[in-house]
Amino acid sequence: MLASRIFEGAAFYYARYQPEYPHELFKSLRDQLALTPESRLLDLGCGTGQIGLGLAPSIGHVDCVDPNRGMLDEANRLSAERGLTNISLFESMAEEMDVALAGYNGATIASAFHWMDRSLVMETLDQRLLSSGKVSIITRVRDEAAPNDWWNRIWDFVHQWWGGYFPAGREDRRRELVMSNEDILRSSRFPNITRQNIPYTVSWTAETLVKYIYSTSKASPGVLTERRDQFEEQLRSLLDQVSPAGTFVERCHLDILYAARH
Protein backbone atom coordinates (compact mmCIF):
# COMPACT_ATOMS: atom_id res chain seq x y z
CA MET A 1 0.00 0.00 0.00
CA LEU A 2 2.00 2.92 -1.32
CA ALA A 3 0.13 5.73 0.44
CA SER A 4 0.41 3.90 3.74
CA ARG A 5 4.12 3.20 3.44
CA ILE A 6 5.37 6.58 2.27
CA PHE A 7 3.57 8.30 5.15
CA GLU A 8 5.49 6.14 7.64
CA GLY A 9 6.57 8.35 10.54
CA ALA A 10 4.57 11.32 9.28
CA ALA A 11 1.55 11.04 11.60
CA PHE A 12 3.15 12.78 14.59
CA TYR A 13 4.00 15.79 12.44
CA TYR A 14 0.73 15.67 10.50
CA ALA A 15 -1.33 15.94 13.68
CA ARG A 16 0.67 18.91 14.99
CA TYR A 17 1.89 20.89 11.98
CA GLN A 18 -0.60 20.49 9.15
CA PRO A 19 -2.55 23.77 8.84
CA GLU A 20 -6.00 23.74 10.37
CA TYR A 21 -8.89 24.10 7.96
CA PRO A 22 -10.76 27.43 8.22
CA HIS A 23 -14.07 27.52 10.08
CA GLU A 24 -15.80 28.50 6.85
CA LEU A 25 -15.12 25.03 5.46
CA PHE A 26 -17.07 23.26 8.18
CA LYS A 27 -20.02 25.62 7.78
CA SER A 28 -19.96 24.96 4.05
CA LEU A 29 -19.85 21.19 4.57
CA ARG A 30 -22.77 21.29 7.00
CA ASP A 31 -24.82 23.43 4.62
CA GLN A 32 -23.97 21.76 1.31
CA LEU A 33 -24.19 18.20 2.62
CA ALA A 34 -27.34 19.08 4.57
CA LEU A 35 -25.86 17.65 7.77
CA THR A 36 -28.00 17.57 10.92
CA PRO A 37 -27.43 16.33 14.50
CA GLU A 38 -28.68 12.93 13.29
CA SER A 39 -26.48 12.67 10.18
CA ARG A 40 -23.85 10.00 9.55
CA LEU A 41 -20.72 11.00 7.64
CA LEU A 42 -17.99 8.96 5.95
CA ASP A 43 -14.51 10.56 5.81
CA LEU A 44 -12.14 8.76 3.44
CA GLY A 45 -8.38 9.22 3.56
CA CYS A 46 -9.02 10.89 6.88
CA GLY A 47 -5.39 11.24 8.00
CA THR A 48 -5.40 12.44 11.61
CA GLY A 49 -9.08 13.31 11.41
CA GLN A 50 -9.11 17.03 10.71
CA ILE A 51 -12.42 16.91 8.84
CA GLY A 52 -14.13 14.25 10.94
CA LEU A 53 -13.15 15.82 14.27
CA GLY A 54 -14.21 19.23 13.03
CA LEU A 55 -17.69 18.03 12.08
CA ALA A 56 -18.29 15.51 14.88
CA PRO A 57 -19.63 18.00 17.47
CA SER A 58 -22.52 18.99 15.19
CA ILE A 59 -23.58 15.67 13.65
CA GLY A 60 -24.59 12.18 14.77
CA HIS A 61 -21.61 10.01 13.85
CA VAL A 62 -18.43 10.05 11.75
CA ASP A 63 -16.69 6.97 10.33
CA CYS A 64 -13.07 7.78 9.45
CA VAL A 65 -11.14 5.53 7.05
CA ASP A 66 -7.39 5.61 6.35
CA PRO A 67 -4.78 2.99 5.38
CA ASN A 68 -2.13 4.37 7.77
CA ARG A 69 -2.29 3.07 11.35
CA GLY A 70 -0.15 5.91 12.69
CA MET A 71 -2.57 8.50 11.32
CA LEU A 72 -5.52 6.73 12.92
CA ASP A 73 -3.70 6.51 16.25
CA GLU A 74 -3.26 10.28 16.21
CA ALA A 75 -6.93 10.74 15.28
CA ASN A 76 -7.89 8.52 18.20
CA ARG A 77 -5.69 10.53 20.57
CA LEU A 78 -7.15 13.84 19.39
CA SER A 79 -10.76 12.64 19.59
CA ALA A 80 -10.15 11.45 23.15
CA GLU A 81 -8.57 14.78 24.11
CA ARG A 82 -11.63 16.59 22.77
CA GLY A 83 -14.09 14.23 24.44
CA LEU A 84 -15.61 13.10 21.14
CA THR A 85 -17.39 9.76 21.43
CA ASN A 86 -19.19 9.69 18.07
CA ILE A 87 -16.16 8.83 15.89
CA SER A 88 -15.15 5.37 14.66
CA LEU A 89 -11.79 4.70 12.99
CA PHE A 90 -11.14 2.05 10.33
CA GLU A 91 -7.75 1.03 8.95
CA SER A 92 -8.43 0.39 5.28
CA MET A 93 -7.92 1.69 1.81
CA ALA A 94 -11.01 3.50 0.54
CA GLU A 95 -11.38 0.98 -2.28
CA GLU A 96 -11.42 -1.96 0.15
CA MET A 97 -13.47 -0.71 3.11
CA ASP A 98 -15.87 -3.03 4.88
CA VAL A 99 -19.24 -3.48 3.18
CA ALA A 100 -20.91 -2.74 6.52
CA LEU A 101 -19.88 0.91 6.14
CA ALA A 102 -23.03 2.19 4.47
CA GLY A 103 -26.10 4.36 4.91
CA TYR A 104 -24.32 7.73 5.01
CA ASN A 105 -25.77 11.19 4.49
CA GLY A 106 -22.52 12.40 2.98
CA ALA A 107 -18.86 11.61 2.31
CA THR A 108 -15.76 13.79 2.44
CA ILE A 109 -12.34 13.27 0.85
CA ALA A 110 -9.81 16.00 1.71
CA SER A 111 -6.34 16.13 0.13
CA ALA A 112 -6.46 12.37 -0.50
CA PHE A 113 -8.47 11.73 -3.67
CA HIS A 114 -5.33 11.71 -5.84
CA TRP A 115 -4.01 8.67 -3.91
CA MET A 116 -7.11 6.63 -4.72
CA ASP A 117 -8.54 4.75 -7.67
CA ARG A 118 -10.98 7.62 -8.06
CA SER A 119 -13.50 5.95 -10.36
CA LEU A 120 -13.65 2.84 -8.18
CA VAL A 121 -14.11 4.95 -5.05
CA MET A 122 -17.01 6.79 -6.65
CA GLU A 123 -18.62 3.46 -7.58
CA THR A 124 -18.19 2.36 -3.98
CA LEU A 125 -19.71 5.58 -2.63
CA ASP A 126 -22.74 5.06 -4.88
CA GLN A 127 -23.39 1.90 -2.84
CA ARG A 128 -22.61 3.43 0.55
CA LEU A 129 -24.49 6.77 0.49
CA LEU A 130 -28.19 7.31 0.94
CA SER A 131 -30.07 8.40 -2.19
CA SER A 132 -29.84 12.04 -1.10
CA GLY A 133 -26.20 11.76 -0.04
CA LYS A 134 -23.49 13.97 -1.56
CA VAL A 135 -19.74 13.67 -1.94
CA SER A 136 -17.32 16.49 -1.13
CA ILE A 137 -13.80 16.58 -2.63
CA ILE A 138 -11.61 19.15 -0.86
CA THR A 139 -8.29 20.29 -2.32
CA ARG A 140 -5.81 22.82 -0.90
CA VAL A 141 -4.48 25.22 -3.56
CA ARG A 142 -1.54 27.57 -2.94
CA ASP A 143 -1.94 30.95 -4.60
CA GLU A 144 1.09 32.82 -3.26
CA ALA A 145 4.02 32.14 -0.93
CA ALA A 146 5.94 35.12 0.48
CA PRO A 147 8.73 36.03 0.71
CA ASN A 148 10.54 34.98 -2.45
CA ASP A 149 8.14 32.31 -3.65
CA TRP A 150 9.39 30.08 -0.85
CA TRP A 151 7.04 27.14 -1.46
CA ASN A 152 8.18 26.54 -5.03
CA ARG A 153 11.79 26.90 -3.95
CA ILE A 154 11.27 24.21 -1.31
CA TRP A 155 9.59 21.98 -3.90
CA ASP A 156 12.56 22.45 -6.25
CA PHE A 157 14.95 21.66 -3.39
CA VAL A 158 13.14 18.41 -2.53
CA HIS A 159 13.10 17.35 -6.17
CA GLN A 160 16.81 18.09 -6.70
CA TRP A 161 17.86 16.59 -3.38
CA TRP A 162 15.92 13.37 -3.70
CA GLY A 163 15.77 12.87 -7.47
CA GLY A 164 13.60 10.53 -9.51
CA TYR A 165 9.86 10.60 -9.05
CA PHE A 166 7.51 11.92 -6.40
CA PRO A 167 6.58 10.89 -3.82
CA ALA A 168 9.43 8.50 -2.95
CA GLY A 169 12.34 9.24 -5.20
CA ARG A 170 13.39 6.68 -7.80
CA GLU A 171 11.62 3.87 -6.01
CA ASP A 172 8.00 4.86 -6.61
CA ARG A 173 5.90 6.83 -9.02
CA ARG A 174 2.50 8.12 -7.96
CA ARG A 175 -0.42 7.19 -10.18
CA GLU A 176 -0.72 9.52 -13.17
CA LEU A 177 -3.94 11.56 -13.07
CA VAL A 178 -5.17 11.78 -16.64
CA MET A 179 -8.63 13.11 -15.79
CA SER A 180 -9.42 15.98 -13.45
CA ASN A 181 -11.39 15.37 -10.27
CA GLU A 182 -14.31 17.20 -11.83
CA ASP A 183 -14.25 14.93 -14.90
CA ILE A 184 -14.14 11.86 -12.65
CA LEU A 185 -17.21 13.09 -10.78
CA ARG A 186 -19.11 13.93 -13.96
CA SER A 187 -18.51 10.41 -15.28
CA SER A 188 -19.75 8.87 -12.02
CA ARG A 189 -23.22 8.46 -10.51
CA PHE A 190 -22.67 11.89 -8.89
CA PRO A 191 -22.49 14.21 -11.94
CA ASN A 192 -24.37 17.18 -10.47
CA ILE A 193 -21.48 19.40 -9.30
CA THR A 194 -21.33 22.61 -7.28
CA ARG A 195 -17.96 24.31 -6.79
CA GLN A 196 -16.92 26.60 -3.96
CA ASN A 197 -13.64 28.37 -3.13
CA ILE A 198 -12.70 29.43 0.39
CA PRO A 199 -9.59 31.66 0.75
CA TYR A 200 -7.36 31.47 3.84
CA THR A 201 -3.87 32.41 4.98
CA VAL A 202 -1.27 30.37 6.88
CA SER A 203 1.67 31.90 8.75
CA TRP A 204 4.78 29.82 9.40
CA THR A 205 8.08 30.02 11.22
CA ALA A 206 11.14 28.18 9.97
CA GLU A 207 10.71 25.65 12.79
CA THR A 208 7.06 24.85 12.13
CA LEU A 209 7.73 24.71 8.40
CA VAL A 210 10.46 22.09 8.79
CA LYS A 211 8.15 19.99 10.96
CA TYR A 212 5.33 20.42 8.44
CA ILE A 213 7.55 19.15 5.62
CA TYR A 214 8.00 15.91 7.61
CA SER A 215 4.21 15.43 7.47
CA THR A 216 4.16 15.31 3.66
CA SER A 217 4.48 12.40 1.27
CA LYS A 218 7.48 14.10 -0.33
CA ALA A 219 9.64 14.15 2.79
CA SER A 220 8.14 11.99 5.51
CA PRO A 221 10.56 10.12 7.79
CA GLY A 222 9.59 6.93 5.95
CA VAL A 223 10.76 8.44 2.65
CA LEU A 224 13.89 10.14 4.00
CA THR A 225 15.09 7.23 6.17
CA GLU A 226 18.80 7.56 7.04
CA ARG A 227 19.23 10.72 4.96
CA ARG A 228 16.90 12.75 7.14
CA ASP A 229 19.59 14.67 9.08
CA GLN A 230 21.31 15.74 5.89
CA PHE A 231 17.99 16.76 4.37
CA GLU A 232 17.04 18.88 7.38
CA GLU A 233 20.40 20.63 7.52
CA GLN A 234 20.14 21.66 3.88
CA LEU A 235 16.45 22.60 4.21
CA ARG A 236 17.13 24.89 7.18
CA SER A 237 19.96 26.55 5.25
CA LEU A 238 17.60 27.18 2.34
CA LEU A 239 14.92 28.65 4.62
CA ASP A 240 17.49 31.00 6.15
CA GLN A 241 18.39 32.22 2.68
CA VAL A 242 14.79 32.67 1.57
CA SER A 243 13.67 34.50 4.73
CA PRO A 244 16.38 35.69 7.12
CA ALA A 245 13.58 36.85 9.45
CA GLY A 246 12.37 33.25 9.70
CA THR A 247 8.76 34.05 8.81
CA PHE A 248 6.76 32.72 5.89
CA VAL A 249 3.24 33.46 4.63
CA GLU A 250 1.13 31.18 2.48
CA ARG A 251 -2.00 32.48 0.77
CA CYS A 252 -4.26 29.66 -0.33
CA HIS A 253 -7.78 28.65 -1.12
CA LEU A 254 -9.78 25.47 -0.71
CA ASP A 255 -11.26 24.18 -3.94
CA ILE A 256 -14.37 22.24 -2.91
CA LEU A 257 -16.39 20.07 -5.28
CA TYR A 258 -19.83 19.00 -4.06
CA ALA A 259 -21.21 16.14 -6.16
CA ALA A 260 -24.79 14.85 -6.07
CA ARG A 261 -26.78 12.34 -8.04
CA HIS A 262 -29.28 13.63 -10.59
Side-chain angles (χ1 to χ4, degrees):
M1 293 188 293
L2 175 62
S4 174
R5 184 174 58 77
I6 66 170
F7 280 102
E8 182 182 348
F12 175 89
Y13 301 98
Y14 202 102
R16 293 161 178 83
Y17 297 102
Q18 278 279 334
E20 294 293 331
Y21 286 108
H23 295 300
E24 292 84 355
L25 170 63
F26 298 103
K27 181 180 186 306
S28 176
L29 290 170
R30 289 191 296 268
D31 292 345
Q32 294 293 326
L33 300 180
L35 300 177
T36 71
E38 290 74 42
S39 295
R40 297 179 65 241
L41 181 81
L42 178 65
D43 185 24
L44 296 181
C46 67
T48 58
Q50 285 183 315
I51 298 297
L53 271 64
L55 287 172
S58 59
I59 65 176
H61 195 87
V62 183
D63 283 339
C64 297
V65 177
D66 198 276
N68 187 287
R69 184 70 250 171
M71 294 286 186
L72 294 176
D73 287 344
E74 288 290 343
N76 186 56
R77 176 185 64 82
L78 290 169
S79 62
E81 286 181 359
R82 301 180 191 183
L84 299 172
T85 58
N86 61 336
I87 294 180
S88 298
L89 307 173
F90 298 91
E91 184 179 356
S92 172
M93 297 182 69
E95 300 89 336
E96 300 172 359
M97 60 183 169
D98 194 297
V99 294
L101 299 179
Y104 297 100
N105 301 92
T108 54
I109 307 174
S111 300
F113 203 33
H114 55 282
W115 291 114
M116 304 173 183
D117 182 332
R118 296 174 295 167
S119 294
L120 178 56
V121 167
M122 293 309 299
E123 291 177 10
T124 302
L125 289 177
D126 182 41
Q127 303 169 24
R128 308 305 176 89
L129 298 188
L130 299 173
S131 60
S132 59
K134 295 182 180 180
V135 179
S136 175
I137 309 297
I138 305 159
T139 305
R140 297 184 189 266
V141 181
R142 292 176 180 84
D143 300 310
E144 181 185 6
N148 299 317
D149 193 27
W150 60 263
W151 178 259
N152 284 327
R153 293 182 65 176
I154 290 176
W155 179 275
D156 290 342
F157 160 77
V158 174
H159 188 271
Q160 294 167 11
W161 187 87
W162 186 253
Y165 307 114
F166 283 138
R170 299 184 186 281
E171 184 179 352
D172 286 304
R173 183 198 295 267
R174 188 163 63 194
R175 181 185 296 115
E176 297 286 345
L177 302 183
V178 178
M179 297 175 65
S180 69
N181 288 343
E182 186 168 355
D183 288 340
I184 292 290
L185 296 177
R186 290 197 188 284
S187 64
S188 76
R189 297 290 299 274
F190 298 82
N192 188 6
I193 297 174
T194 301
R195 189 176 221 126
Q196 183 175 6
N197 285 341
I198 298 177
Y200 68 108
T201 299
V202 182
S203 296
W204 301 92
T205 65
E207 188 64 28
T208 58
L209 195 50
V210 168
K211 301 295 178 56
Y212 161 78
I213 294 298
Y214 286 147
S215 78
T216 69
S217 64
K218 294 174 284 295
S220 71
V223 168
L224 295 173
T225 61
E226 72 276 359
R227 303 179 70 187
R228 176 175 168 178
D229 289 345
Q230 181 185 1
F231 173 86
E232 181 169 330
E233 180 181 355
Q234 294 181 17
L235 175 59
R236 288 183 181 276
S237 176
L238 174 62
L239 294 177
D240 287 342
Q241 295 174 31
V242 172
S243 177
T247 57
F248 305 83
V249 176
E250 184 181 1
R251 295 180 179 87
C252 321
H253 70 271
L254 297 176
D255 180 39
I256 311 165
L257 298 175
Y258 291 104
R261 299 182 180 91
H262 278 309

